[in-house]
Amino acid sequence: MTKQDYEQKIQELETHIRQLQQANIELVNRNMQMSQQLDAFYDVRRRIQMLKELVVRHKELMRHADLRDDDELLALIETRLEEELPHENPDFGLQELAQMIGTSQTRIIEMFRRSKLHKSVDDYLDYLRVLRSMHYLQEKPSWSVAACAQQAGFSVVRTFNRKFQDALGMTPHEFRMLLESGRENIK
């Protein structure tokens, strides 16, 4: 074997070594990707299992939701309504509330019948809508009274005006004028 043949053989071996090193790097990278995918797969399976357990617990809670006392049920209703504001949708009513809370419509009706403040779900939701409209009347002075009413969940402005008057003893327009005069006195 000549020196030139020997050097050529060394170059071929070095080229082959570089190819093997590159293939090794690619295999390591692929292995890492597959490991990450496997980790993600197990994470998804773990989350699915957790969700299944939550669904089972939720179903169990729903079965016993009617056993809560009125104060607990009202606190649960208030918390969920404050967080999600579903009552800003004019179509939100007793049926949707019962589904959201996980109890029967009958249980909610009975609770409100015993209530000293609100005699029905509709009265309660209208009260919350009036409170929400007060927020909009104060925070959104550029909005019309009708826009505030609609955003708060009233689909009919006349109903809104009547409910507002009943709750506060003044019209929404008078309330806004009162707010504006208060702002001017602060300046």
Side-chain angles (χ1 to χ4, degrees):
M1 186 180 242
T2 67
K3 184 178 179 182
Q4 189 177 14
D5 290 339
Y6 181 71
E7 287 177 2
Q8 184 178 2
K9 193 68 165 169
I10 289 175
Q11 284 179 343
E12 288 174 7
L13 288 173
E14 286 175 347
T15 301
H16 189 64
I17 288 171
R18 280 193 297 274
Q19 289 172 345
L20 288 174
Q21 287 173 335
Q22 184 62 35
N24 188 36
I25 290 171
E26 290 172 8
L27 285 173
V28 167
N29 286 337
R30 184 158 186 241
N31 190 19
M32 288 177 61
Q33 288 174 347
M34 290 177 75
S35 177
Q36 289 171 347
Q37 289 173 345
L38 189 59
D39 287 346
F41 171 75
Y42 283 121
D43 187 52
V44 167
R45 284 189 61 189
R46 182 183 56 79
R47 288 180 186 202
I48 289 171
Q49 185 61 35
M50 286 173 48
L51 287 174
K52 285 180 181 178
E53 291 170 9
L54 285 173
V55 167
V56 168
R57 280 197 335 221
H58 180 71
K59 285 180 181 178
E60 188 65 25
L61 287 173
M62 285 178 61
R63 271 190 241 135
H64 298 294
D66 288 346
L67 301 177
R68 290 188 192 109
D69 69 15
D70 287 355
D71 292 336
E72 284 181 25
L73 186 58
L74 186 57
L76 177 63
I77 289 170
E78 287 175 348
T79 301
R80 293 290 301 275
L81 292 177
E82 274 183 41
E83 289 173 357
E84 301 172 26
L85 300 175
H87 54 283
E88 287 190 355
N89 177 351
D91 297 328
F92 184 82
L94 174 61
Q95 180 179 359
E96 293 78 15
L97 179 61
Q99 288 174 347
M100 184 175 89
I101 299 304
T103 192
S104 68
Q105 293 179 33
T106 304
R107 174 67 176 94
I108 293 174
I109 290 169
E110 289 171 1
M111 181 197 68
F112 277 106
R113 279 191 187 141
R114 288 187 294 271
S115 171
K116 292 179 175 103
L117 292 176
H118 309 285
K119 292 298 177 193
S120 72
V121 174
D122 290 335
D123 285 346
Y124 178 66
L125 292 175
D126 284 343
Y127 167 76
L128 293 177
R129 289 173 177 137
V130 166
L131 289 177
R132 199 70 186 146
S133 70
M134 290 170 62
H135 167 78
Y136 290 127
L137 287 166
Q138 182 177 3
E139 298 297 320
K140 306 290 185 183
S142 62
W143 288 11
S144 68
V145 169
C148 292
Q150 185 178 18
Q151 187 64 36
F154 286 98
S155 56
V156 179
V157 176
R158 286 180 53 201
T159 303
F160 164 66
N161 286 331
R162 183 173 36 81
K163 296 285 183 178
F164 197 97
Q165 176 84 35
D166 291 347
L168 277 88
M170 66 178 80
T171 66
H173 181 71
E174 291 169 337
F175 177 76
R176 184 170 261 173
M177 299 270 293
L178 184 67
L179 289 173
E180 288 174 7
S181 69
R183 284 187 194 119
E184 290 174 5
N185 289 338
I186 292 173
K187 293 178 186 178

